[in-house]
Amino acid sequence: MSRIVAVAPVLPEHSYPQEQITEALVDLVCPPGSPAAAKAPLLRRLHRSAGVQRRHLVRPPHEYAHLDGFTGANEAWLHDGATFGLRAAREALEAARLAPDDVDLVLFTTVTGIAAPSLDARIAGPLGLRPDVKRLPLFGLGCVAGASGLARLHDHLRGHPDDVALLLSVELCSLTVQRDDPSTANLVASGLFGDGAAAVVVVGERRAAAMGLGAPTARSPRIVSSRSHLYPGTTDVLGWDVGGTGFRIVLSASLADVVETHLADDVKALLAPLGLDAGDVTRWVAHPGGPRVLEAAARALALEEGALAPSWASLARVGNLSSASVLHVLADVLAREQEGDQDDDGGGALQRCVLFALGPGFSAELVLLEWAGDTQR
């Protein structure tokens, strides 16, 4: 089985309380004297109910008014995204004690900017990747891509057990906010999404043995299996309408209903082939899509209070980071486990963790992880 050997979450330095971002966006999306000004109270109310206390932005708030439409926003994504992608990749490889030229496969994902050559190709030289590195840039998976990326790396490493793979997510969501769109969907998104990146280093089974990794702990959990589900008839639930001004959010009120209807069956389908059920899961790493999504997931899975606390905490602290979000939550969970298991040699109780995310399609991806640790956390 493949092993996760490092998770590196990265955030921009510009960090602001939700209230400050709200007022900046009132001026940008619902400026006084404009036809959209009447929507300002709704924007403020939606921002207060987003479950977000603070967010990190790639640019200071006053700079967004000066971006030249989609061209300016995409140029900012490309410039700043390369910076954060390079930083995340370097930090992950350093934590894994691996060199850039050890990497055999890079899977890069984003849904907040477009470039050809893709961003992973642009940072390959500065990072020090080999010229023969395999690359798989993905666009369009949205929030589900952090989980999907882990699953696809696991699929690759099952067939290439000596390989080192790097998952890189760069999401600068603030650059996609539409200034001319006072729709409820845009107002909701403007209060929910933040900016961030993350990188994960995953190695194949034989590479893990060569690195001297023993039983899986929170420092090197193993990926056991994954489950994908593309729900029929739901393409209008979540995504982008792409046009001259860039990415216009599609966000249906039925999203939480789809989650509540299907998620429990997806978890069952992930676990049943292994002779497991939801009662065998001791940790949950959920993509913090928003309060309604987290509440729907908790109801669908009949989870105890606090089971999704790391996801709620991440939502409050940094907002929804699209595909990077579930990787930030994973980093938080593993760091907490490591703090409590400083003397653990892998002989603790087996922890089973279901990591899941949801995204355009509408789709879900679930990944089962295992490590030894303390059942009390």
Side-chain angles (χ1 to χ4, degrees):
M1 296 179 188
S2 56
R3 300 279 285 272
I4 295 173
V5 292
V7 184
V10 168
L11 294 165
E13 63 178 341
H14 305 295
S15 174
Y16 306 94
Q18 177 80 328
E19 294 79 8
Q20 184 176 346
I21 295 175
T22 297
E23 294 310 310
L25 286 169
V26 165
D27 293 338
L28 195 66
V29 181
C30 308
S34 73
K39 293 291 188 74
L42 175 60
L43 184 148
R44 291 188 175 99
R45 186 168 73 251
L46 291 172
H47 281 213
R48 286 194 298 269
S49 64
V52 179
Q53 298 175 5
R54 196 169 192 88
R55 282 184 282 168
H56 292 249
L57 305 180
V58 71
R59 299 286 176 94
H62 68 272
E63 291 190 11
Y64 288 84
H66 304 294
L67 292 175
D68 181 21
F70 179 49
T71 298
N74 201 63
E75 288 176 350
W77 171 85
L78 185 57
H79 177 271
D80 296 337
T83 299
F84 290 110
L86 191 58
R87 178 182 156 194
R90 283 174 171 163
E91 290 185 7
L93 288 167
E94 181 179 348
R97 299 181 180 179
L98 292 168
D101 62 5
D102 288 319
V103 176
D104 300 291
L105 171 68
V106 176
L107 189 155
F108 168 67
T109 186
T110 188
V111 76
T112 55
I114 300 175
S118 53
L119 190 146
D120 55 295
R122 295 168 187 255
I123 68 171
L127 180 57
L129 298 176
R130 300 194 316 264
D132 67 341
V133 69
K134 299 178 180 72
R135 297 185 302 111
L136 186 59
L138 300 178
F139 178 89
L141 286 175
C143 296
V144 79
S148 296
L150 288 177
R152 301 295 79 78
L153 290 190
H154 176 60
D155 292 341
H156 171 84
L157 292 168
R158 290 174 65 188
H160 300 80
D162 296 300
D163 277 10
V164 173
L166 176 69
L167 169 62
L168 178 61
S169 163
V170 177
E171 302 288 15
L172 305 184
C173 305
S174 66
L175 297 173
T176 69
V177 172
Q178 298 293 296
R179 284 176 261 175
D180 64 342
D181 181 10
S183 68
T184 300
N186 189 50
L187 300 185
V188 169
S190 73
L192 186 60
F193 289 95
D195 296 340
V200 184
V201 179
V202 188
V203 300
E205 189 170 17
R206 287 205 296 258
R207 187 58 178 252
M211 292 171 66
L213 300 179
T217 68
R219 291 173 177 79
S220 59
R222 68 183 167 213
I223 300 176
V224 179
S225 63
S226 66
R227 165 79 176 176
S228 304
H229 194 172
L230 182 62
Y231 306 124
T234 60
T235 55
D236 59 348
V237 169
L238 180 65
W240 295 130
D241 278 336
V242 183
T245 61
F247 303 126
R248 193 177 297 269
I249 190 76
V250 174
L251 183 62
S252 170
S254 66
L255 189 154
D257 296 332
V258 176
V259 174
E260 190 162 359
T261 299
H262 295 287
L263 186 58
D265 288 339
D266 292 335
V267 170
K268 182 178 180 180
L270 172 72
L271 299 175
L274 302 171
L276 305 172
D277 60 31
D280 296 305
V281 178
T282 55
R283 303 286 183 268
W284 298 89
V285 172
H287 167 66
R292 290 191 64 201
V293 171
L294 289 175
E295 289 166 357
R299 287 193 299 270
L301 300 172
L303 297 180
E304 295 181 0
E305 185 175 355
L308 300 183
S311 298
W312 282 102
S314 183
L315 179 66
R317 189 172 64 251
V318 299
N320 182 339
L321 307 178
S322 191
S323 66
S325 250
V326 76
L327 304 178
H328 277 243
V329 178
L330 176 62
D332 293 341
V333 169
L334 294 179
R336 184 167 180 249
E337 294 279 312
Q338 291 173 33
E339 289 174 3
D341 286 341
Q342 292 181 8
D343 299 322
D344 185 20
D345 61 359
L350 182 65
Q351 305 304 303
R352 293 189 177 95
C353 172
V354 171
L355 177 149
F356 65 90
L358 309 141
F362 186 65
S363 61
E365 191 82 39
L366 300 90
V367 182
L368 178 63
L369 308 175
E370 289 183 348
W371 65 83
D374 184 351
T375 58
Q376 299 305 309
R377 285 187 306 281

